[in-house]
Amino acid sequence: MQWRNSTFRYGLISVSLHWLVAIAVFGLFALGFWMVGLSYYSSWYQTAPNIHKSIGILLFVVMTVRVLWRLASPPPPALPEHGRLTRVASKLGHAFLYLGLFVLMTSGYLISTAEGRPISVFGWFDVPASVTSIPNQGDVAGLVHEYLAWAIVIFAVLHGLAALKHHFIDRDRTLLRIFGR
């Protein structure tokens, strides 16, 4: 498999970044869903949020690399058999996923730093609390984070179902391309 995208398929770097982000998003969603139900006396009460925040910060870095890579190695064009509606839906869907993930991660940052404390990323480095003066910052960002997380996960499932529809019903190469084939 080639490193860069071609006019026919995604390259190894794009494929790897795509699946790394997908696994991280669904893993973070599951961890977040589980951890909000923890009691104060659970041994995971402090650990789970720290893991969630650390992976979230690393996901921000990966998504930034992904956007830069997309600029350096543009994705393959839509397949010729895709109609105008499919092409527009694909562009809007991808834009929602990219923008939504950055807003989601920003809201997570705003929740975590609302009280002025930095975020420690697995003890490797700290991300400083640079924005702390927004009224009700933690509460507002928390609502945005929760609802947007649900929206992104639901939309990502629809994204996957659309890829399966392309593969099994339309019998085109859409799904194969994200596997680098």
Side-chain angles (χ1 to χ4, degrees):
M1 179 187 301
Q2 75 259 359
W3 290 92
R4 297 177 63 86
N5 299 332
S6 72
T7 56
F8 302 107
R9 66 184 56 91
Y10 290 93
L12 181 61
I13 294 174
S14 293
V15 170
S16 300
L17 290 170
H18 174 271
W19 292 110
L20 178 63
V21 168
I23 290 166
V25 166
F26 281 97
L28 284 169
F29 181 80
L31 179 59
F33 188 78
W34 173 71
M35 75 183 189
V36 296
L38 293 173
S39 76
Y40 179 78
Y41 299 103
S42 170
S43 61
W44 283 94
Y45 186 77
Q46 293 293 328
T47 306
N50 290 337
I51 292 170
H52 187 86
K53 293 173 197 178
S54 293
I55 294 172
I57 295 293
L58 295 177
L59 179 60
F60 183 85
V61 172
V62 170
M63 280 299 297
T64 301
V65 168
R66 189 171 180 192
V67 168
L68 294 173
W69 180 251
R70 192 175 174 99
L71 295 172
S73 182
L79 295 173
E81 57 266 30
H82 289 176
R84 185 178 189 285
L85 182 61
T86 300
R87 292 169 192 252
V88 170
S90 175
K91 287 196 182 301
L92 290 175
H94 283 99
F96 171 73
L97 287 171
Y98 277 78
L99 181 62
L101 282 172
F102 278 109
V103 172
L104 182 67
M105 293 180 288
T106 301
S107 67
Y109 168 81
L110 292 173
I111 296 165
S112 300
T113 60
E115 295 178 8
R117 289 189 299 268
I119 301 170
S120 174
V121 179
F122 294 117
W124 301 335
F125 61 92
D126 287 346
V127 177
S130 57
V131 179
T132 59
S133 60
I134 300 171
N136 300 316
Q137 179 173 321
D139 294 334
V140 173
L143 286 174
V144 170
H145 197 73
E146 179 182 3
Y147 288 118
L148 191 54
W150 276 103
I152 287 172
V153 164
I154 290 168
F155 195 82
V157 168
L158 294 173
H159 175 70
L161 290 173
L164 292 173
K165 179 244 181 212
H166 278 285
H167 187 73
F168 291 109
I169 296 172
D170 299 342
R171 299 201 182 276
D172 65 30
R173 296 190 35 78
T174 301
L175 181 62
L176 295 176
R177 294 189 328 166
I178 199 55
F179 287 106
R181 295 180 172 195

